[in-house]
Amino acid sequence: MLDLPHLLRIVDAIILPMLAIGILFLSKISSGERARWAERQFYVALMVMTFVTLRTVALSGDLWLVHTGTLGIMIIGSLMVRTQGTPLAMQPRFHL
């Protein structure tokens, strides 16, 4: 049976990085109103992974490579992979 520290370790090592990469994937394949929602979720996940990575590195945790790699994939993936819809910053404000 798993106790709480082991369960938190599994979440920290496996579930959190997979969730962050999944949100990145969702933000890239979505379009329209769902894309706006997915981008907001991506920014929240990016902030969470940044703080988790900073905590892990500052405490010299065993999972520093997993967290740093996940954060790197999120940053590079957000810049390199094209989105399906128009990004929020590129949408026109006025229609002529």
Side-chain angles (χ1 to χ4, degrees):
M1 181 173 217
L2 292 175
D3 55 347
L4 187 60
H6 287 115
L7 186 62
L8 290 175
R9 186 110 169 119
I10 290 171
V11 168
D12 197 30
I14 299 170
I15 296 174
L16 190 61
M18 286 178 56
L19 187 63
I21 300 300
I23 292 172
L24 169 65
F25 179 71
L26 180 67
S27 72
K28 292 301 176 177
I29 64 169
S30 300
S31 62
E33 189 62 35
R34 183 173 284 272
R36 289 188 189 109
W37 177 83
E39 282 185 10
R40 287 191 297 268
Q41 300 304 314
F42 171 74
Y43 291 133
V44 170
L46 185 63
M47 284 189 343
V48 168
M49 277 310 299
T50 301
F51 288 124
V52 168
T53 303
L54 288 173
R55 175 192 53 99
T56 304
V57 171
L59 297 176
S60 298
D62 296 337
L63 298 172
W64 70 271
L65 187 59
V66 173
H67 291 161
T68 305
T70 303
L71 187 61
I73 288 170
M74 289 181 73
I75 292 170
I76 292 172
S78 69
L79 297 174
M80 300 300 278
V81 180
R82 297 185 60 114
T83 57
Q84 294 293 328
T86 306
L88 292 178
M90 303 291 285
Q91 291 181 353
R93 292 185 185 214
F94 303 105
H95 297 283
L96 296 176

